């Protein structure tokens, strides 16, 4: 079914669990031939450091941009490593990634790893008034699955 699923990680455990279950369901499916081995599904956990958010924090405080960037990256890696461990304990094939870009600039990353499905928690759209542009969706190299509620 899917070989590579990218999940923009969520703060809601039930949404992360939904993605994990989908990845597990996609693993082990035969490729069509009875002689072919099952194709494992890899779940890539992705976190974004959005420049717009960094600048909002900097402007709302007296902190330096580099300090804010470093703090956000540290928190992101901690959460990615925690989820990676949790998902691997559940038997999933998992990788982690951190990108410094906005949600609307992730297409090159998705193309570079040949993503089959993007799982996008709706909560990740709060900074964009819960809207996705038709141009963004049209330029995605894979289908997108929106999960959760605002």
């Amino acid at each position: 079914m899917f070989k590579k699923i990218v999940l923009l990680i969520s703060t809601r455990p039930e949404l992360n669990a939904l993605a994990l279950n989908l990845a597990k369901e996609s693993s082990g499916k035969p490729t069509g031939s009875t002689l072919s081995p099952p194709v494992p599904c890899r779940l890539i956990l992705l976190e974004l450091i959005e420049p717009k958010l960094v600048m909002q924090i900097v402007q709302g405080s007296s902190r330096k941009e580099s300090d804010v960037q470093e703090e956000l990256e540290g928190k992101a890696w901690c959460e990615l490593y925690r989820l990676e461990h949790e998902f691997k304990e559940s038997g999933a094939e998992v990788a982690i990634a951190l990108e410094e870009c906005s949600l609307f600039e992730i297409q090159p990353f998705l193309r570079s790893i040949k993503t089959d499905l993007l799982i996008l928690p709706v909560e990740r759209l709060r900074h964009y008034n819960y809207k996705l542009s038709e141009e963004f969706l049209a330029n995605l190299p894979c289908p997108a699955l929106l999960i959760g509620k605002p």
Side-chain angles (χ1 to χ4, degrees):
M1 194 167 165
F2 298 112
K3 292 180 186 175
K4 290 184 185 170
I5 297 174
V6 171
L7 166 66
L8 274 164
I9 62 173
S10 172
T11 58
R12 297 175 50 199
E14 67 274 13
L15 299 183
N16 291 329
L18 178 69
L20 174 62
N21 289 334
L22 181 60
K24 284 179 162 183
E25 286 290 320
S26 291
S27 289
K29 303 287 186 206
T31 58
S33 168
T34 56
L35 301 175
S36 299
V39 177
C41 177
R42 174 167 283 201
L43 182 62
I44 296 101
L45 306 175
L46 175 63
E47 181 59 289
L48 301 177
I49 303 292
E50 299 202 30
K52 182 179 175 181
L53 177 61
V54 172
M55 292 313 297
Q56 285 175 348
I57 294 171
V58 167
Q59 291 169 354
S61 68
S62 59
R63 300 171 61 197
K64 294 192 304 188
E65 183 178 344
S66 59
D67 292 342
V68 170
Q69 182 83 17
E70 188 176 316
E71 179 185 332
L72 291 175
E73 285 179 15
K75 287 179 180 179
W77 281 118
C78 284
E79 183 62 7
L80 285 166
Y81 287 131
R82 184 189 70 74
L83 285 172
E84 177 188 37
H85 177 73
E86 180 182 313
F87 283 24
K88 282 184 176 178
E89 289 284 311
S90 296
E93 187 175 322
V94 181
I96 57 175
L98 177 68
E99 290 289 311
E100 294 181 21
C101 65
S102 81
L103 171 64
F104 298 108
E105 299 168 329
I106 64 170
Q107 294 94 332
F109 172 78
L110 298 174
R111 279 187 189 87
S112 73
I113 64 168
K114 297 181 175 137
T115 305
D116 295 309
L117 178 68
L118 169 64
I119 300 177
L120 178 57
V122 173
E123 71 188 53
R124 299 298 299 250
L125 300 173
R126 70 181 168 273
H127 299 296
Y128 304 101
N129 295 321
Y130 299 99
K131 294 180 184 173
L132 288 174
S133 71
E134 286 185 34
E135 180 183 354
F136 170 75
L137 292 171
N139 288 324
L140 282 175
C142 61
L145 175 63
L146 296 173
I147 59 174
K149 299 177 190 174

